[in-house]
């Protein structure tokens, strides 16, 4: 009986169109946010150990551990922010708090001359950056997508994320060759985080029950 009812509902439901997702304003803004957030993360993943060795003079044997601090601190952060977001029933306010702090963390890493402050900045980036905001961006996609198009929406989500994974390492290396400085690539990551903040500000969100 239940199967018959479900079949009847699926038969009367309008067919999902891929183009409907591309017309969804909130989804497009969320995808822009995902690209901007992941860009900085992949810059960190690919070039941070080289930056630490060449610019900061940290021993090669220690660069892996220092770089891993970003991932270590993101684990409790993701759980915390996901809980807070569910508690208040919104994603947007939490993301708007985290993105500026992530951008400031990268700037602190670049501007400080102290190794202790630089490591603190990396820990802060892990606590406020991409890995910590992942549950929120995923929830934003789910909140703004019809149930019959969730797989397609998350497919686009992955496409956008992997696009940044391809572009970020290449662009950062190219900027290093052009400018002679590693900082230029990290500054681009900060600029994209600011663009991500603008995207979040434009998202219209209703409280989730």
């Amino acid at each position: 009986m239940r199967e018959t009812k479900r079949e009847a509902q699926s038969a009367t439901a309008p067919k999902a169109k891929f183009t409907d997702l591309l017309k969804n304003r909130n989804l497009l803004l969320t995808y822009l946010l995902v690209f901007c957030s992941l860009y900085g993360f992949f810059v960190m993943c690919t070039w941070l150990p080289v930056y630490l060795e060449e610019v900061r003079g940290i021993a090669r044997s220690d660069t892996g551990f220092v770089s891993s601090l970003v991932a270590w601190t993101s684990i409790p952060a993701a759980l915390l922010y996901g809980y807070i977001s569910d508690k208040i029933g919104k994603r947007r306010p939490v993301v708007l708090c985290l993105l500026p702090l992530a951008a400031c963390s990268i700037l602190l890493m670049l501007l400080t001359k102290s190794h202790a402050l630089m490591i603190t900045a990396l820990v802060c980036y892990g606590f406020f950056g991409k890995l910590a905001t992942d549950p929120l961006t995923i929830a934003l996609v789910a909140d703004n997508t019809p149930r019959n198009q969730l797989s397609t929406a998350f497919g686009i989500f992955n496409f956008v994320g992997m696009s940044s994974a391809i572009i970020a390492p290449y662009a950062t290396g190219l900027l290093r060759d052009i400018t002679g400085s590693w900082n230029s690539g990290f500054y681009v990551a900060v600029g994209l985080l600011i663009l991500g903040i603008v995207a979040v500000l434009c998202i219209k969100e209703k409280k989730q029950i």
Side-chain angles (χ1 to χ4, degrees):
M1 191 75 178
R2 288 181 181 178
E3 290 181 0
T4 305
K5 189 175 181 180
R6 287 176 184 172
E7 288 174 2
Q9 287 176 344
S10 61
T12 56
K15 290 184 178 181
K17 294 181 180 179
F18 179 81
T19 53
D20 290 341
L21 296 177
L22 301 181
K23 295 175 184 176
N24 187 319
R25 180 174 179 271
N26 278 358
L27 267 184
L28 292 178
L29 290 168
T30 302
Y31 291 143
L32 176 59
L33 163 63
V34 168
F35 182 89
C36 294
S37 177
L38 288 179
Y39 186 97
F41 174 72
F42 285 113
V43 171
M44 290 283 190
C45 283
T46 52
W47 291 115
L48 181 59
V50 180
Y51 171 83
L52 292 174
E53 182 183 4
E54 290 189 5
V55 179
R56 295 294 183 165
I58 294 177
R60 185 174 299 177
S61 57
D62 295 329
T63 57
F65 171 74
V66 174
S67 300
S68 71
L69 293 175
V70 173
W72 280 107
T73 53
S74 69
I75 297 172
L79 294 171
L80 174 63
Y81 302 138
Y83 173 78
I84 293 173
S85 174
D86 287 341
K87 196 75 174 176
I88 66 176
K90 289 189 175 183
R91 328 297 178 194
R92 186 171 172 268
V94 184
V95 177
L96 281 176
C97 290
L98 297 179
L99 290 183
L101 293 171
C104 290
S105 300
I106 298 177
L107 285 175
L108 177 61
M109 182 196 77
L110 296 174
L111 298 176
T112 184
K113 297 184 182 300
S114 165
H115 278 192
L117 272 179
M118 182 197 65
I119 292 173
T120 301
L122 288 174
V123 170
C124 289
Y125 178 75
F127 201 74
F128 302 125
K130 175 264 174 187
L131 292 176
T133 58
D134 262 358
L136 305 177
T137 54
I138 292 170
L140 274 172
V141 171
D143 293 343
N144 291 283
T145 305
R147 291 181 63 86
N148 62 341
Q149 290 185 287
L150 278 174
S151 296
T152 306
F154 283 118
I156 300 173
F157 180 97
N158 284 338
F159 170 80
V160 172
M162 289 302 100
S163 296
S164 69
I166 294 168
I167 294 171
Y170 174 79
T172 304
L174 181 63
L175 285 171
R176 166 64 178 81
D177 290 343
I178 293 173
T179 65
S181 170
W182 283 111
N183 287 3
S184 57
F186 288 98
Y187 282 127
V188 169
V190 172
L192 285 175
L193 280 175
I194 294 172
L195 178 60
I197 294 170
V198 175
V200 178
L201 286 171
C202 296
I203 292 175
K204 296 178 181 179
E205 182 181 35
K206 295 179 181 179
K207 186 173 181 178
Q208 301 298 314
I209 299 174

